[in-house]
Structures are given as C-alpha cells and as structure tokens.
Amino acid sequence: MPDQTSGTPELRLVFGADPVAIRRSLSRMLASPPLSGLGAEARGAAELVLAEILNNVAEHAYDEAGGTVEVTLRPDAGGILCQIADSGRSMPDGRLPEGKLPASSAPLQDLPEGGFGWHLIRSLCADLSYTRSEGRNLLVFLIPG
C-alpha cells in the first residue's frame, strides 16, 4: 500500500513469493507511484529487473517451500531506490552472482538454460548490493530514471 504519511510517494508491498502473486504485485507496482511516473524506457527496465529478481526469489530462495517477499520502492535523485527482502535461502556463497555471459563463440546447444538474469539485472540497474542478516536477504539497487 502506498505510504500516505509522508510527502514522498513510497510504495511498500508484502506478498507471497509465487508466480501469481508476483505477477499481480508487479502490475500494481507499475501502475502506482513511484514507478508510474517513470518514462517508458525506465519503466520497462524496472519491470524486467523486478520480474527477474522476484521470480529468482520464488524459484531459488524459497523453492517449493513458499514464503513472503517485501518490496519497497522510493524516489531517489538518480531514479527509483528498490529494496527487496525475503527470508528464503541465502545467495550462493553469500554474495551476488557475477552475471557474466558465456563466450559468444559457444555453440547454441552448449549454452546453459537460464543464468542470464543476473547479467540483465546488472546491466539495467545501479548500486546493486546484497546482505544477509538475521535470516533475511536484502537486495538494494537503483533503477535509473
């Protein structure tokens, strides 16, 4: 629900980490401030980044166990500051994946399925950081706008 107590159009949502809830919540995020105020290109980037991250939380952090995810979006001088928190498993080795693409000379049939999401995320956002504290993952990043 949008934060009505301050003059800042902050949006904070808590929802289930499952595909239906993610799609519904992502639609709500895109239709509400602060994301609704972005230009088409920045809004498209926000949608790609948020969808990739939220689906990663559902698929990898919670697997089939289920759980909730908390998303906070707030305007920042450089765009939209995004915070995503969950209580699922931590990132492998406790750090963000590098997101490197395989060599372009690799035959198509030899390319792995998936694994390109972190490259996309890293290329579309800035100031990406990950921490784990007291059993919770926190991913913070800026969507330039």
Side-chain angles (χ1 to χ4, degrees), residues 46-99:
E47 182 175 13
L48 285 171
V49 168
L50 289 166
E52 184 64 33
I53 290 170
L54 294 171
N55 285 311
N56 280 346
V57 169
E59 184 177 347
H60 302 292
Y62 285 121
D63 199 18
E64 294 181 19
T68 59
V69 61
E70 178 181 330
V71 177
T72 304
L73 307 171
R74 74 176 55 95
D76 184 83
I80 306 297
L81 182 63
C82 305
Q83 297 179 347
I84 299 178
D86 69 78
S87 298
R89 286 190 297 276
S90 65
M91 293 276 190
D93 300 322
R95 58 190 166 131
L96 289 169
E98 289 184 28

Side-chain angles (χ1 to χ4, degrees), residues 5-141:
T5 60
S6 71
T8 304
E10 176 179 285
L11 179 66
R12 181 179 172 270
L13 298 175
V14 178
F15 51 92
D18 64 82
V20 172
I22 289 170
R23 277 193 302 276
R24 187 176 336 118
S25 298
L26 185 56
S27 292
R28 184 170 172 200
M29 286 180 240
L30 293 166
S32 303
L35 293 182
S36 64
L38 292 176
E41 188 173 326
R43 231 170 77 83
E47 182 175 13
L48 285 171
V49 168
L50 289 166
E52 184 64 33
I53 290 170
L54 294 171
N55 285 311
N56 280 346
V57 169
E59 184 177 347
H60 302 292
Y62 285 121
D63 199 18
E64 294 181 19
T68 59
V69 61
E70 178 181 330
V71 177
T72 304
L73 307 171
R74 74 176 55 95
D76 184 83
I80 306 297
L81 182 63
C82 305
Q83 297 179 347
I84 299 178
D86 69 78
S87 298
R89 286 190 297 276
S90 65
M91 293 276 190
D93 300 322
R95 58 190 166 131
L96 289 169
E98 289 184 28
K100 290 186 177 181
L101 292 176
S104 61
S105 61
L108 187 59
Q109 68 270 15
D110 292 343
L111 293 176
E113 179 183 342
F116 302 105
W118 283 103
H119 174 75
L120 175 75
I121 292 165
R122 288 180 177 278
S123 68
L124 293 175
C125 66
D127 303 329
L128 183 64
S129 69
Y130 167 75
T131 55
R132 180 155 177 104
S133 177
E134 298 178 10
R136 288 187 47 90
N137 298 306
L138 180 63
L139 191 64
V140 179
F141 55 95

